[in-house]
Amino acid sequence: MTIPSIENPVVQFHLRPFLTKRVALYTSSMEMRQRIVEKTIFKATSDPSILQDDPIDIALARLLHETAVVELRISKSMFQPGPIGHQLWQREG
């Protein structure tokens, strides 16, 4: 089985709009939406076998959900105070 290209018209005209519409349920940030959609497309085109078990729309929605949860957790952890995340505010002592 060959890996479908991201430039494939199916990806450009069907997959991306489908995912873009659904990702709006997860975040209002346009940058984060685009990031989640692109990572979902990358995962789907890198390993098409992950989409074989369910009907394609359900499998894509599941993959989008998994990607969104991971990306939003990463984003949230970056802005937590402490040694791992960024300090966005000064603590008054």
Side-chain angles (χ1 to χ4, degrees), residues 29-87:
S29 167
M30 291 304 289
E31 294 85 12
M32 185 58 77
R33 287 181 187 181
Q34 183 177 4
R35 180 178 175 161
I36 293 168
V37 167
E38 293 305 317
K39 284 198 173 197
T40 303
I41 290 171
F42 178 76
K43 288 178 183 180
T45 56
S46 295
D47 185 11
S49 66
I50 60 177
L51 302 175
Q52 290 179 345
D53 294 335
D54 298 320
I56 191 68
D57 58 337
I58 294 171
L60 283 170
R62 180 181 39 78
L63 183 60
L64 177 71
H65 175 76
E66 292 169 3
T67 305
V69 167
V70 169
E71 290 302 312
L72 292 170
R73 280 187 187 151
I74 290 170
S75 178
K76 180 182 173 189
S77 69
M78 288 179 64
F79 295 102
Q80 295 296 319
I84 296 174
H86 298 285
Q87 294 286 342

Side-chain angles (χ1 to χ4, degrees), residues 8-26:
N8 186 320
V10 170
V11 171
Q12 293 298 328
F13 299 113
H14 298 289
L15 184 58
R16 185 168 279 116
F18 173 80
L19 295 173
T20 301
K21 183 177 177 182
R22 289 198 177 239
V23 78
L25 299 171
Y26 294 95

